[in-house]
Amino acid sequence: MSSDQGLAPLRSAPSAPVVFGAGAAIGVLGGMIGLGGAEFRLPLLIGLFGFAALSAVILNKAMSLVVVLVALPARLTAVPAAEVAARWPVAVNLLAGSLLGAWAGASWAVRMRSATLYKVLAALMVLMAAALVLTHTATLGTLDLPLWAQVPAGVVAGFGTGVVAAIMGVAGGELLIPTIVLLFGQDIKTAGSLSLLVSLPTMLVAFARYSRDGSFAVLGANLGFTAVMASGSVAGAVLGGLLLGVFPDVVLIPALAVILLVSAAKLARHD
């Protein structure tokens, strides 16, 4: 962990209600589009709470893991576990790449200079904005690839997703869901459940890599902050799920994409 990656936020310690409220707001945003919202939480950790880039990524990863652990059983009530289990080859195919990608992404993140990591995060947020618009405004078909091409394509896509998820501290559903639909021809609802099954072990691998050096110490130093914000994120995600469909996608998705792009521009200029 480089010396400029401090364990504590650069600003004064925020109160628990403020931290919970921020997490809840992020959870609502994610819940309204059926995702965890980690892509919105990352710039908040950096811009509002003043964490350095790598510290924010690791804290974001910890909170994303909590959200996924809560969301997985809830998701299985909407899509039967037997139906998801029957599609295990899809998850295995993606995991073959995503586990390697998570290890590689976390390794690159801990070696980057802070200034470089800010710019990489900004570029990845633009990617997330594009994926968000594609997934929620376009009708995704399927590529109908033969098996000999589908399997390596799944490994490559999984690797890329694992890298992005590790570097940003997100679950990766924004990328996994359209990948599962396009490559494997699954419907959106099933793709959402499969993405959680891929995300969980992928995040654990990234955690294992981060825990190998001092960068992981930020989690222990900010355990209370993480627990409060994660609780807010879960509560907000539940509320956001209840609001699903209240705001039309034609209004909501462009607004969220703009938020990501503005956040990306701020991160790119971050000193």
Side-chain angles (χ1 to χ4, degrees), residues 10 51 54 166 219 224 228 250:
L10 300 180
F51 285 99
L54 184 58
L219 188 55
V228 172
V250 69

Side-chain angles (χ1 to χ4, degrees), residues 75-200:
R75 187 83 190 192
L76 292 178
T77 63
V79 180
E83 184 177 334
V84 177
R87 290 161 175 79
W88 65 267
V90 174
V92 170
N93 193 169
L94 290 168
L95 281 169
S98 69
L99 298 180
L100 293 174
W103 189 271
S107 298
W108 294 332
V110 298
R111 293 170 185 164
M112 285 183 199
R113 294 181 63 249
S114 187
T116 303
L117 184 54
Y118 284 122
K119 290 178 174 56
V120 170
L121 292 174
L124 293 179
M125 291 195 74
V126 174
L127 172 64
M128 288 296 184
L132 179 66
V133 172
L134 173 67
T135 304
H136 292 272
T137 63
T139 301
L140 298 178
T142 179
L143 298 178
D144 290 324
L145 296 177
L147 187 61
W148 63 265
Q150 187 184 74
V151 171
V155 172
V156 171
F159 182 86
T161 300
V163 169
V164 172
I167 292 178
M168 292 190 72
V170 301
E174 301 87 339
L175 302 177
L176 282 171
I177 291 174
T179 296
I180 293 170
V181 173
L182 288 169
L183 280 184
F184 302 100
Q186 303 297 318
D187 62 86
I188 287 287
K189 185 179 289 188
T190 303
S193 297
L194 286 169
S195 74
L196 291 177
L197 292 179
V198 175
S199 294
L200 184 55

Side-chain angles (χ1 to χ4, degrees), residues 10 15 40 53 71 222 243 251:
L10 300 180
S15 64
F40 301 103
N222 296 277
L243 295 175
V251 174

Side-chain angles (χ1 to χ4, degrees), residues 194-269:
L194 286 169
S195 74
L196 291 177
L197 292 179
V198 175
S199 294
L200 184 55
T202 301
M203 286 192 290
L204 291 174
V205 166
F207 258 127
R209 176 59 187 89
Y210 281 129
S211 68
R212 292 185 64 188
D213 57 35
S215 58
F216 201 68
V218 66
L219 188 55
N222 296 277
L223 199 56
F225 175 95
T226 304
V228 172
M229 196 170 192
S231 299
S233 296
V234 171
V238 173
L239 177 58
L242 296 175
L243 295 175
L244 191 64
V246 171
F247 299 96
D249 279 357
V250 69
V251 174
L252 181 62
I253 299 305
L256 295 179
V258 168
I259 291 174
L260 288 175
L261 293 176
V262 170
S263 299
K266 291 183 177 180
L267 285 181
R269 297 195 302 268

Side-chain angles (χ1 to χ4, degrees), residues 20-43:
F20 184 90
I26 296 304
V28 168
L29 287 178
M32 286 194 297
I33 56 175
L35 296 170
E39 66 274 23
F40 301 103
R41 186 168 53 238
L42 180 61

